[in-house]
Amino acid sequence: MGESRAALADPLGGDGSPFGKAKGMVFPRIVLVGHGVISELPETCRQFDFPSVGAVITGPRTAELAGNRAAEILTHDGFSITTVIAREATGAEVDRVSSELRGRGVKFLVGVGGGSKIDITKVVAARLRIPFLSLPTSAAHDGISSPRASLHGAGTVTSTEAAVPVGVIADTAVIVQAPFRLLASGCADVISNTTAILDWRLAVRLRGEEFSTTAATLSDYAAQEIIDHADAIKPNLEESVWIAIRPILVAGIAMSVAGSSRPCSGSEHLFSHALDRISAHPGLHGEQCGVGAIMMMYLHGGDWRRIKNALLTIGAPTTARELGVTNEEVVRALAMAHSIRTERYTILGDNGVTRDAAERLATVTGVVA
Ligand SMILES: [Zn+2]
């Protein structure tokens, strides 16, 4: 994350100080969740003392869903708003949006959209050094409030440090209109915290990695909330968004506390990243992490059926077929996952699982039939 440092230079008096630890954490300062909270946008901007010139960054579809409305509400209230329609989250698109906004005196941004538009806004805000508000139109993963953004390159996805929104306005009446598959994916992403935390604890024991009880507790709380309320998360029900969105936001906070994605990203995320590379038509990030969590929980010797049942109850994928990938791709992704990000130690160890073991793992957990 941008502003988090494991150790600041010369903290607390520097040399000879018996206690030289320092850490920075950046969080959203205002988080509004509820029906119709989009109308609070002008008031929220005033609370931050934003000057009157700002921009809304949104997508072609999310403009109709909420982006245009956000711009109208602000304009009606006396703000001078430029609306930029952004496309895919790529470095080139970040360059284009940044240059379109430069020289216009824009002093704040409002990112309105799903993951990719929020990600573009995060990076553009960091580049222009101005604050931004996040107004998600869907909740497909835990990145809404996190300090990282995913940018797509030539066949790869890179995780980039980016600005944290100063405020999050999560309007449940807007988010419920997004396809349910997206919310189910966001829930699966949070459920996958369960194995990420086990991997983290393992790395602490085996590698002496730094641990944050606070971050792990927040991350676990978020996962358990979703698992415990799985039967209340249903399509076309605004209350489901209400139940799911808070744990999704808390997961982002856990990453801000840790200063890394560690509390919410372990072997199950490595599996998802491997599948993104291998499969011609990968599933959604959160969906793949959920399926990964079933299998990684099996490797940890934990209650993998509980993970699987929660995903089934919500209606998130639990099999290769439901992800839209082949059995072979799942097995190859499992065997390759350990090599994706070697500094992130997980249950997969340094050598990963063999192909035979990968086949058995996927079969015994029912991911591959
Ligand atoms: Zn994730």
Side-chain angles (χ1 to χ4, degrees):
M1 59 180 289
E3 273 79 358
S4 175
R5 281 141 286 201
L8 297 173
D10 199 18
L12 305 182
D15 288 351
S17 169
F19 182 78
K21 286 176 88 170
K23 186 175 177 182
M25 303 181 206
V26 185
F27 304 111
R29 204 166 86 210
I30 295 176
V31 177
L32 292 176
V33 181
H35 181 90
V37 291
I38 189 173
S39 62
E40 305 288 319
L41 197 47
E43 180 55 29
T44 308
C45 290
R46 272 194 292 276
Q47 282 178 294
F48 284 112
D49 284 327
F50 286 165
S52 61
V53 182
V56 167
I57 298 178
T58 188
R61 268 173 301 154
T62 48
E64 286 171 40
L65 200 58
N68 292 338
R69 191 139 59 93
E72 276 163 29
I73 289 170
L74 285 169
T75 306
H76 187 256
D77 217 272
F79 288 90
S80 170
I81 299 296
T82 304
T83 300
V84 181
I85 304 291
R87 314 256 156 197
E88 233 198 309
T90 62
E93 189 62 352
V94 166
D95 291 344
R96 187 187 70 78
V97 173
S98 303
S99 61
E100 195 165 319
L101 292 175
R102 244 183 220 117
R104 288 178 181 248
V106 168
K107 293 289 189 277
F108 70 94
L109 301 176
V110 183
V112 184
S116 66
K117 307 307 173 261
I118 304 282
D119 277 0
I120 289 174
T121 311
K122 280 181 186 174
V123 184
V124 171
R127 196 174 286 185
L128 300 181
R129 296 176 182 277
I130 53 177
F132 83 101
L133 297 174
S134 171
L135 205 154
T137 55
S138 60
H141 58 72
D142 60 19
I144 298 171
S145 59
S146 81
R148 302 201 71 82
S150 298
L151 293 185
H152 299 253
T156 60
V157 181
T158 45
S159 181
T160 312
E161 285 194 16
V164 172
V166 295
V168 178
I169 298 178
D171 192 326
T172 51
V174 170
I175 297 170
V176 73
Q177 293 175 55
F180 180 71
R181 185 186 172 194
L182 301 179
L183 188 70
S185 172
C187 290
D189 197 15
V190 176
I191 287 174
S192 87
N193 291 0
T194 48
T195 45
I197 299 164
L198 291 175
D199 284 327
W200 194 8
R201 290 187 180 281
L202 189 66
V204 172
R205 291 196 292 270
L206 290 181
R207 297 286 172 97
E209 200 177 294
E210 201 184 336
F211 189 70
S212 162
T213 307
T214 312
T217 304
L218 286 170
S219 167
D220 187 53
Y221 157 79
Q224 301 309 327
E225 276 290 292
I226 300 273
I227 294 170
D228 289 347
H229 294 96
D231 58 357
I233 298 169
K234 297 186 174 77
N236 304 316
L237 187 68
E238 193 174 335
E239 200 184 340
S240 301
V241 180
W242 173 256
I243 291 166
I245 194 82
R246 288 178 295 173
I248 290 172
L249 291 169
V250 168
I253 303 290
M255 290 187 266
S256 284
V257 170
S260 81
S261 60
R262 201 30 145 155
C264 306
S265 171
S267 48
E268 74 298 320
H269 271 63
L270 298 180
F271 165 74
S272 172
H273 297 321
L275 209 44
D276 283 337
R277 292 193 192 180
I278 287 170
S279 174
H281 304 284
L284 296 177
H285 166 84
E287 294 177 336
Q288 295 185 159
C289 292
V291 171
I294 297 171
M295 296 186 286
M296 300 311 160
M297 189 57 94
Y298 179 89
L299 289 183
H300 275 289
D303 191 354
W304 59 274
R305 287 188 178 86
R306 183 165 175 261
I307 308 284
K308 184 170 180 169
N309 285 336
L311 294 170
L312 282 170
T313 304
I314 291 167
T318 60
T319 64
R321 192 196 172 98
E322 286 164 0
L323 282 176
V325 301
T326 65
N327 291 349
E328 172 63 18
E329 285 167 343
V330 164
V331 170
R332 279 176 55 208
L334 277 174
M336 169 190 180
H338 69 285
S339 68
I340 296 283
R341 193 175 169 184
T342 49
E343 83 284 3
R344 178 142 296 181
Y345 193 80
T346 71
I347 190 74
L348 297 170
D350 292 321
N351 297 321
V353 290
T354 62
R355 203 195 139 87
D356 282 356
E359 271 176 21
R360 272 199 304 277
L361 170 58
T363 307
V364 79
T365 51
V367 172
V368 159

